Amino acid sequence: DSTGRSYSLLASSLPSARGQGEPLSGRLNPPPGASFKGLLMGEAAQALVLASSAGYGFVTTLGDLEAGNKNGKAILNVPEGGNVLEPALLQSAENDLLAVLSTEGRLLVFPVKDLPQLSKGKGNKLMNVASDENESVLAVQALAEGQKLTVLAGSRHITLKWSDLELYRGERGRRGAKLPRGFQKVDGMRLGE
């Protein structure tokens, strides 16, 4: 959720598709004002990246996110004024790349293996964001070899091929490179087609 807590539900305990649905707050007890940032389902060994808008994150597994009670468990330490970003599922923690996008239109791509694997905490710096400009990390996206990345900017988008990502490759914790003009007021990113 938006406070950095994770919750667990068994899929078999959810109502069937014949009903009108049921709010998650009926089965879980999030803190007041919290909102859910992502929903994941898979094997306990499935690796993913958790990150905050402050530019910190780490690799963890779905098994580490399992919580034994309705109140969940604290996983990601979110700094004051920061937000939890949507988790990025990994295909291979050894070979995938992580794309980090800032609100100022900067993109940084680096190997996921440069991040630590933790069960909880703040993590390491993904991208250096300028605190005096109110810049923050907007999104993270994991990329397997050969995949394309689409950056969304208003009603426009730009799709970067695997070879185009070389312009944005760098060391973890750097500022990243500016996207082309017209694509610097970004809304998010997703895997490209």
Side-chain angles (χ1 to χ4, degrees):
D1 68 13
S2 57
T3 65
R5 300 183 73 75
S6 71
Y7 306 87
S8 298
L9 285 175
L10 290 173
S12 60
S13 71
L14 297 174
S16 72
R18 297 175 187 261
Q20 297 295 318
E22 181 179 319
L24 286 175
S25 57
R27 294 179 180 264
L28 305 174
N29 190 17
S35 60
F36 292 100
K37 293 295 183 178
L39 179 66
L40 303 168
M41 188 166 100
E43 300 293 324
Q46 170 68 53
L48 61 132
V49 174
L50 292 179
S52 71
S53 62
Y56 291 88
F58 58 91
V59 176
T60 190
T61 63
L62 284 178
D64 289 333
L65 299 181
E66 288 182 21
N69 59 33
K70 289 177 67 167
N71 293 330
K73 76 178 190 183
I75 296 293
L76 181 64
N77 294 343
V78 184
E80 186 70 35
N83 299 316
V84 174
L85 302 178
E86 187 175 322
L89 287 176
L90 302 174
Q91 291 184 22
S92 166
E94 284 298 311
N95 301 320
D96 285 1
L97 295 178
L98 187 69
V100 183
L101 182 67
S102 80
T103 54
E104 295 294 315
R106 290 185 173 275
L107 181 65
L108 177 65
V109 178
F110 62 88
V112 171
K113 65 183 176 186
D114 291 352
L115 284 176
Q117 180 160 350
L118 304 171
S119 58
K120 65 179 182 178
K122 179 179 178 180
N124 286 10
K125 184 156 282 291
L126 302 176
M127 176 187 255
N128 187 14
V129 291
S131 58
D132 58 334
E133 299 174 16
N134 295 325
E135 182 181 15
S136 63
V137 172
L138 183 64
V140 294
Q141 180 66 56
L143 300 158
E145 188 172 348
Q147 287 186 314
K148 298 176 184 176
L149 181 69
T150 300
V151 178
L152 310 170
S155 60
R156 302 174 64 190
H157 68 275
I158 183 171
T159 300
L160 303 169
K161 296 182 290 203
W162 186 257
S163 58
D164 299 334
L165 294 175
E166 280 301 316
L167 297 169
Y168 304 98
R169 293 271 309 245
E171 293 179 25
R172 178 189 59 75
R174 300 288 183 177
R175 289 273 291 146
K178 279 278 204 184
L179 289 162
R181 289 182 63 115
F183 296 101
Q184 294 176 2
K185 291 189 177 184
V186 291
D187 296 321
M189 62 181 167
R190 64 172 188 245
L191 289 178
E193 290 86 40

